[in-house]
Each structure stands twice: as C-alpha cells, then as structure tokens.
Amino acid sequence: GSYFVDRQSVSLESLKIRIEDGLAQNPELVFIIKADEKTAHGSVVELMDTAQEMGVNHLTVGAKGKP
C-alpha cells in the first residue's frame, strides 16, 4: 500500500522514522490513519500494529467517505 504524511508519499521505513520522531517530541502523540474504500483491512491492521509496537498509545482510524 501507499503511505502519506502531510499529503506526501513516504515509504514504510520513512513513516516509522516520522513516528519515532513524533513520539520523541510528544509521548502523547495521536496517530491518525485515514483509508479509502480500496484499502485492504489487513493493511490498516498491520499499520495499527506497527504504530502500537513503536509505542503509540493514542490511535484513531478514519475513513474517507464518498462525496
């Protein structure tokens, strides 16, 4: 799947670095995952697991609905 941070495409490794940096600056970091209807459920769960393993305690999932 594709990952975006602030509308810029990033690799999973880059995303992990961004999470680490964010947690270092703010241990109460809120991690928000947005996915559209084409995103596989397993991809979202994998990303959630990764974030939690890295120490993210505040996780939110949003869905991009149809207009």
Side-chain angles (χ1 to χ4, degrees), residues 5-39:
V5 176
D6 297 329
R7 298 183 186 213
Q8 294 182 356
S9 180
V10 296
S11 68
L12 180 57
E13 289 306 313
S14 293
L15 180 58
K16 288 179 180 180
I17 292 168
R18 298 281 297 257
I19 293 170
E20 286 176 354
D21 291 347
L23 286 169
Q25 293 177 19
N26 179 8
E28 298 300 315
L29 175 78
V30 176
F31 188 73
I32 302 169
I33 299 172
K34 291 185 181 177
D36 64 21
E37 69 274 0
K38 296 177 186 174
T39 305

Side-chain angles (χ1 to χ4, degrees), residues 40-55:
H41 175 75
S43 296
V44 174
V45 172
E46 182 180 7
L47 187 55
M48 291 171 64
D49 288 344
T50 298
Q52 289 177 329
E53 289 169 4
M54 296 181 70

